[in-house]
Amino acid sequence: MGERAREGLRAYRLIAAMWMRSTMMYRTSFALTMAGNLLVTGLDFATILLMFSRVDSLGGWSLPEVAFLYGLSATAFGFADLVLGSMDVLGTRIRDGSFDMLLVRPAPVLAQIGADHFALRRLGRVVQGAVVLGWALVSAGIDWTPAKVLLVPLMLGAGAAIFCALFVAGAAFQFLAQDAAEVQNSFTYGGTTLLQYPPTVFGKDFVRGVTFLLPLAFVNWVPAAYVLGRPYPLRLPAWAAWSPPLVAVVCCALAGLAWRAGLRAYRSTGS
Amino acid sequence: MSDTSDGTGRASHPAGEVFIEVDEVEKVFEVRRKTGFLKRERRQVRAVDALSFTVARGEMVGYIGPNGAGKSTTIKMLTGILTPSGGRLRVAGIDPARERTRLAHRIGVVFGQRTTLWWDLPLIDSYRLTHRMYRIPDARYRENLDRLVELLSLESLLDVPVRQLSLGQRMRGDIVAALLHDPDVLYLDEPTIGLDVISKAKVRDFLRELNTERGTTVLLTTHDLQDIEQLCSRVMVIDHGRLVYDGPLAGLHEVGESERTLVVDLERELPPIDMGASARVVKVEGPRQWLAFPASESAAPLVARIAAEYPLLDLSVREPDIETVIAAMLYPTGDTPRPPSERTTA
Amino acid sequence: MGVGRLYTAVAAGGFRRYATYRAATAAGVFTNTAFGIILVYTYLALWDEKPHLGGYDQAQAVTYVWLGQCLFATLAISGGGVEKDLMERIRTGAIAIDLYRPADLQLWWLSTDLGRSLFQLLGRGVIPFLVGAVFFPMALPVDAGTWAAFLVALLLAMLVSFGIRYLLALSVFWLLDGMGVSQVLAITGIFFSGMSLPLNVFPGAFGEVVRFLPWAAQLQVPADVLLGETGLTRAFAFQAAWAAALLTAGRLLQSAATRRVVVQGG
């Protein structure tokens, strides 16, 4: 298992490096898309700023508090997007037959497809999310304790892992429906968007859904409530703030199983 | 050993270690077809049906058949892309479906119309990736690269971005990429498709040399009879997922009761020549007529009769091409074969 | 007459082509519904905080959200309409063939895009809108006149949307790569059309400017027509003016581009 993971990481590094070299063949285009990426994600936050230009709080949360949620969600998602954000090419690769070429190489297929179309410009979202997060950390009036300091990097890591699991699960789904790549956007982009707003904004059943069915709430809502000293959504127990790493491990394991099932189905049907 | 062969071809395989072993392998796909507004019909399609053959180390085998006959399904099972539905399959002693990555180090794959080279990067970059991904020892890599690049005359193109290469150059580039790690077997799918005459010759010369000098086993699918004629001592023909012929190319003509064509130029336009049962007119174009006659029979008596009964100017005999040979063998009743698009695996 | 029939056939072709992507359409319906639900909740919180924000009440804000999801693909607000094919044809040089077709280049692409729009509206737009109407309180007009006016506004919006995308696609003649252009299209489309926030909520002078830009003709104006928040003459005039300006600019740029192709020898 560990051997396979190491092989996978090595193959990922090699292929990602090739994609970076490819992008660098068109330097101007790279610079433009990088700038564009920063701008897109910037406008994302601009919407929230525009809202707060007309109101003082949203669902009872102030701007710095919402910015805290935004920063956590955008940074965690940004990492996942940087690492696995191009997995939606899988459907195209299956349709045009080039997926088969990945299967005759001596490297795990998940690593190869994960590194496919690796794009450094996606760093834009991480940078932009981190800037907002940095501002929120100093202006949200957090009553810092060592535990809270520890929890921030912990939830960024766990959040990125949860989003990575979503990308892998979405790719696995494409083995079944090659044209339906957009469905995964609902969960990945949709997920990061909804987590930018306080849980108090959403209906109770909706919050239950994104806590227990699709555990997005553990990316930021639950641990952020602890850091900000706010009540937990759904009155979860106090230790729930420390559960994100566990949730992330479970998500990744499930996504891994889904991927294996999808790949097995592909290799028995060839479509 | 090859009990599915109908016996008219080779009787036994050359002495040598069995390298590819296919025993009663089958591949069944489930196909869903729309039959009405919301109705779908499920059918099972047998793409490969009780297929058995062996290939010895160092053999060079042509694998041919109509579109959809099961060629590429076979190759995909041999390379570990697809899992067989039944039967036993071994390549170099490895079960491809179970040990895909271990097998990958032993095989080279070139799919004619699909390049594995990196489009925007110089050719050499693709090779460097292969070097590292396959963990080829440095000395070995250098040696192989130099030799392959020289044999396929790619020296001057190593620093050219792949997108600027011609189709023939790219194909040669792909072949190099598939061989850098010294595979024991090379699978080639239509390696000369779309290439000009010179590129074709280069590729064929190279493959022959690879086979004789390094003993690399080669399995080749192609539509080009010349590929087979010039390279393969053995041909396997597959149709409807079954092996229908396994033997030397020459034997194929007899098996298939295929027809040769006599092209006759007469002095003037005349009604179709009547030669009774010994030949039939397949085409008339002005004073020129095409007559088909069994490939196994001599043309001499036919020519003599025509010369005696018709105002003959000129004539020539045409040998059948690969498609006709296969078609004649597969549809021996003399019916016109269905066009390839209608030949399904159903 | 023959010309009308030709472009109707071209439009029908566009409709059918997009109709073949069944799984993609289903995926799109799902995505638009999911984003609609997320947006509705945030808007409800916003209007809870400040009733009558931007002149809308809560039900109107909800209607705006679902209309946006309905028109997102219809008007190709973040791109992904026929301009994608057009850019690819320009990039590969296949556009030279189109120039020899006995049809007007702009009208040809416009017809295809209208066919596409119609399919996206019916196949992809209607369902999220209905889902929204069933589960959330909406402010829908009951008189046929308003709906008819909305359809006119929608048709004008389609023209403006095509006008913007056609202009940007033609720029590939000079830029040679469509990647950056597509990105610009997506950013500006989503933000300035009011997909993330209605333009009438944008504050101050910035709001004034944004509401005057052509993107406002895509979602904001049809929404205001449907919600009865604008005078029809004013709305139609605004849309028609932008449509005319953009399509004319498209024609001019097209002839410049064509000259370029001819000079380069195709």
Side-chain angles (χ1 to χ4, degrees):
Chain A
M1 191 73 203
E3 173 63 23
R4 252 187 99 65
R6 242 198 332 277
E7 275 298 299
L9 281 176
R10 182 170 179 275
Y12 183 95
R13 254 198 350 262
L14 289 173
I15 296 170
M18 291 296 273
W19 281 107
M20 281 197 267
R21 289 171 65 85
S22 288
T23 354
M24 286 307 168
M25 300 300 280
Y26 305 97
R27 272 164 207 280
T28 327
S29 189
F30 172 73
L32 279 175
T33 48
M34 179 91 187
N37 208 272
L38 265 172
L39 195 63
V40 182
T41 49
L43 284 178
D44 212 23
F45 188 63
T47 305
I48 290 177
L49 287 178
L50 279 174
M51 287 181 175
F52 277 94
S53 75
R54 311 301 295 264
V55 297
D56 295 326
S57 70
L58 202 60
W61 292 48
S62 69
L63 177 59
E65 287 173 320
V66 172
F68 184 54
L69 290 179
Y70 178 96
L72 289 169
S73 169
T75 312
F77 178 76
F79 274 124
D81 188 44
L82 176 69
V83 176
L84 296 176
S86 294
M87 285 195 92
D88 53 355
V89 298
L90 179 66
T92 319
R93 285 226 180 268
I94 290 176
R95 256 179 291 135
D96 71 15
S98 55
F99 183 68
D100 287 345
M101 296 311 299
L102 307 186
L103 282 162
V104 299
R105 288 192 192 147
V109 185
L110 181 58
Q112 294 187 60
I113 202 77
D116 206 348
H117 284 92
F118 180 85
L120 207 55
R121 64 162 189 281
R122 294 216 162 90
L123 211 51
R125 193 184 292 273
V126 180
V127 171
Q128 186 264 351
V131 169
V132 174
L133 179 62
W135 175 74
L137 284 177
V138 293
S139 49
I142 299 167
D143 189 8
W144 287 106
T145 63
K148 288 180 181 179
V149 174
L150 179 68
L151 192 54
V152 171
L154 208 59
M155 60 178 151
L156 282 179
I162 291 173
F163 278 121
C164 279
L166 280 179
F167 276 114
V168 171
F173 181 65
Q174 288 180 64
F175 282 118
L176 300 178
Q178 281 113 52
D179 292 330
E182 207 184 334
V183 166
Q184 82 179 50
N185 290 353
S186 308
F187 297 104
T188 50
Y189 286 87
T192 186
T193 305
L194 80 93
L195 292 180
Q196 292 163 5
Y197 298 94
T200 44
V201 159
F202 298 94
K204 200 158 200 162
D205 286 328
F206 187 88
V207 176
R208 278 201 191 98
V210 294
T211 306
F212 299 118
L213 286 181
L214 190 71
L216 288 169
F218 296 92
V219 170
N220 62 356
W221 281 353
V222 179
Y226 171 81
V227 173
L228 294 172
R230 284 184 160 273
Y232 290 4
L234 305 176
R235 279 191 244 123
L236 290 169
W239 54 264
W242 296 92
S243 63
L246 187 68
V247 172
V249 168
V250 173
C251 285
C252 288
L254 289 175
L257 287 177
W259 171 262
R260 288 179 69 156
L263 187 59
R264 195 175 314 122
Y266 174 82
R267 291 178 72 194
S268 64
T269 62
S271 60
Chain B
M1 234 158 124
S2 63
D3 41 20
T4 49
S5 137
D6 49 16
T8 42
R10 69 193 322 106
S12 65
H13 293 288
E17 181 194 342
V18 169
F19 190 72
I20 299 175
E21 205 182 339
V22 176
D23 188 18
E24 294 286 314
V25 164
E26 55 179 67
K27 182 72 206 172
V28 182
F29 293 122
E30 192 148 285
V31 181
R32 268 177 296 177
R33 210 177 43 168
K34 244 178 101 93
T35 50
F37 178 58
L38 281 173
K39 265 186 283 181
R40 273 167 199 272
E41 182 189 76
R42 283 180 164 217
R43 285 187 317 156
Q44 289 210 324
V45 173
R46 226 162 254 279
V48 168
D49 193 4
L51 186 68
S52 298
F53 63 81
T54 57
V55 175
R57 185 183 281 279
E59 266 196 287
M60 199 154 178
V61 182
Y63 192 46
I64 59 180
N67 291 332
K71 273 177 306 188
S72 61
T73 305
T74 313
I75 301 284
K76 283 180 182 178
M77 288 192 288
L78 287 172
T79 47
I81 295 170
L82 287 181
T83 318
S85 318
R88 193 185 125 91
L89 203 141
R90 292 288 180 276
V91 176
I94 299 172
D95 179 353
R98 301 185 68 100
E99 294 189 88
R100 188 186 62 75
T101 40
R102 191 155 84 89
L103 180 76
H105 285 285
R106 308 286 300 270
I107 64 172
V109 185
V110 177
F111 288 150
Q113 284 141 311
R114 202 166 294 132
T115 184
T116 56
L117 304 172
W118 288 73
W119 195 246
D120 288 316
L121 296 177
L123 191 53
I124 186 72
D125 287 20
S126 295
Y127 299 154
R128 288 193 182 120
L129 177 67
T130 308
H131 175 194
R132 304 196 55 195
M133 187 177 271
Y134 284 80
R135 297 180 192 275
I136 308 166
D138 291 349
R140 191 83 247 190
Y141 166 74
R142 278 250 64 89
E143 191 187 316
N144 282 347
L145 183 68
D146 291 346
R147 185 175 49 88
L148 291 167
V149 160
E150 192 197 325
L151 282 174
L152 284 161
S153 12
L154 287 168
E155 297 96 334
S156 56
L157 299 173
L158 282 178
D159 294 319
V160 177
V162 172
R163 69 187 133 82
Q164 291 171 13
L165 299 181
S166 74
L167 196 61
Q169 293 167 337
R170 212 153 70 214
M171 173 55 68
R172 284 182 275 144
D174 262 310
I175 294 178
V176 172
L179 291 170
L180 283 171
H181 60 288
D182 281 325
D184 297 309
V185 56
L186 179 64
Y187 300 99
L188 293 157
D189 185 24
E190 302 286 350
T192 59
I193 200 165
L195 301 194
D196 59 84
V197 183
I198 297 168
S199 293
K200 274 186 189 180
K202 264 188 190 157
V203 168
R204 286 181 192 139
D205 287 347
F206 169 79
L207 290 176
R208 207 176 301 118
E209 185 153 343
L210 177 80
N211 181 247
T212 47
E213 296 213 335
R214 305 196 66 92
T216 306
T217 311
V218 177
L219 193 63
L220 170 87
T221 71
T222 184
H223 274 90
D224 192 328
L225 184 62
Q226 285 189 311
D227 283 348
I228 306 272
E229 271 179 346
Q230 297 186 11
L231 295 172
C232 305
S233 54
R234 178 180 168 200
V235 182
M236 295 192 293
V237 181
I238 186 174
D239 186 50
H240 291 98
R242 288 173 163 274
L243 201 60
V244 292
Y245 177 83
D246 184 355
L249 178 65
L252 203 49
H253 296 251
E254 297 148 33
V255 179
E257 283 179 34
S258 60
E259 291 179 318
R260 287 191 284 170
T261 310
L262 189 65
V263 186
V264 181
D265 285 323
L266 303 171
E267 277 175 10
R268 56 183 185 278
E269 280 185 48
L270 282 173
I273 295 171
D274 181 15
M275 286 287 117
S278 53
R280 59 196 170 83
V281 175
V282 288
K283 193 172 160 193
V284 179
E285 215 178 87
R288 177 173 281 193
Q289 300 197 9
W290 283 260
L291 283 87
F293 66 101
S296 51
E297 280 173 32
S298 163
L302 192 63
V303 173
R305 258 184 80 188
I306 295 173
E309 297 172 24
Y310 292 87
L312 185 65
L313 277 186
D314 194 11
L315 55 77
S316 63
V317 178
R318 284 190 193 162
E319 295 297 325
D321 63 12
I322 205 165
E323 302 284 302
T324 335
V325 168
I326 298 175
M329 185 179 70
L330 298 179
Y331 311 98
T333 51
D335 297 343
T336 327
R338 287 170 290 156
S341 59
E342 287 175 38
R343 278 184 214 139
T344 61
T345 51
Chain C
M1 72 178 248
V3 176
R5 266 226 301 281
L6 168 66
Y7 292 112
T8 314
V10 171
F15 186 98
R16 272 198 303 276
R17 211 199 108 200
Y18 281 83
T20 53
Y21 306 132
R22 282 160 182 280
T25 305
V29 168
F30 185 85
T31 309
N32 284 129
T33 310
F35 271 90
I37 292 172
I38 296 168
L39 272 183
V40 157
Y41 278 124
T42 61
Y43 281 22
L44 284 176
L46 195 59
W47 263 265
D48 224 27
E49 207 70 43
K50 198 146 198 162
H52 303 293
L53 183 61
Y56 287 169
D57 60 26
Q58 275 205 347
Q60 283 177 314
V62 170
T63 314
Y64 182 94
V65 169
W66 291 106
L67 188 64
Q69 295 306 317
C70 170
L71 298 186
F72 182 68
T74 307
L75 300 176
I77 282 177
S78 70
V82 297
E83 84 285 350
K84 229 170 102 184
D85 299 341
L86 178 57
M87 285 193 267
E88 190 58 19
R89 289 186 79 78
I90 297 172
R91 205 178 61 80
T92 58
I95 191 75
I97 302 163
D98 300 358
L99 294 175
Y100 291 109
R101 229 185 253 142
D104 181 79
L105 194 65
Q106 192 186 31
L107 271 178
W108 176 281
W109 285 103
L110 174 60
S111 312
T112 315
D113 199 50
L114 286 178
R116 179 203 60 79
S117 291
L118 190 63
F119 172 74
Q120 302 281 37
L121 178 66
L122 300 176
R124 188 168 159 172
V126 169
I127 297 175
F129 193 79
L130 290 179
V131 170
V134 169
F135 290 101
F136 298 91
M138 290 229 260
L140 293 175
V142 283
D143 61 312
T146 310
W147 282 102
F150 168 71
L151 288 182
V152 174
L154 186 55
L155 184 68
L156 287 168
M158 288 177 185
L159 293 179
V160 171
S161 146
F162 172 79
I164 295 171
R165 287 176 290 124
Y166 194 67
L167 268 182
L168 281 174
L170 286 179
S171 71
V172 174
F173 270 110
W174 289 270
L175 298 174
L176 304 177
D177 177 44
M179 184 102 169
V181 181
S182 304
Q183 207 174 31
V184 169
L185 192 66
I187 305 168
T188 50
I190 289 178
F191 192 74
F192 292 116
S193 301
M195 273 304 291
S196 30
L197 203 61
L199 301 182
N200 53 15
V201 174
F202 283 40
F206 182 55
E208 295 296 327
V209 173
V210 167
R211 285 189 287 275
F212 180 74
L213 296 175
W215 290 277
Q218 295 201 98
L219 173 57
Q220 187 66 56
V221 173
D224 283 340
V225 169
L226 187 69
L227 298 170
E229 289 291 318
T230 176
L232 291 186
T233 333
R234 194 180 167 282
F236 292 162
F238 177 76
Q239 286 184 302
W242 271 120
L246 288 164
L247 292 174
T248 312
R251 281 215 92 77
L252 292 175
L253 200 62
Q254 172 189 319
S255 51
T258 314
R259 269 199 305 279
R260 199 178 146 84
V261 171
V262 174
V263 169
Q264 285 178 341

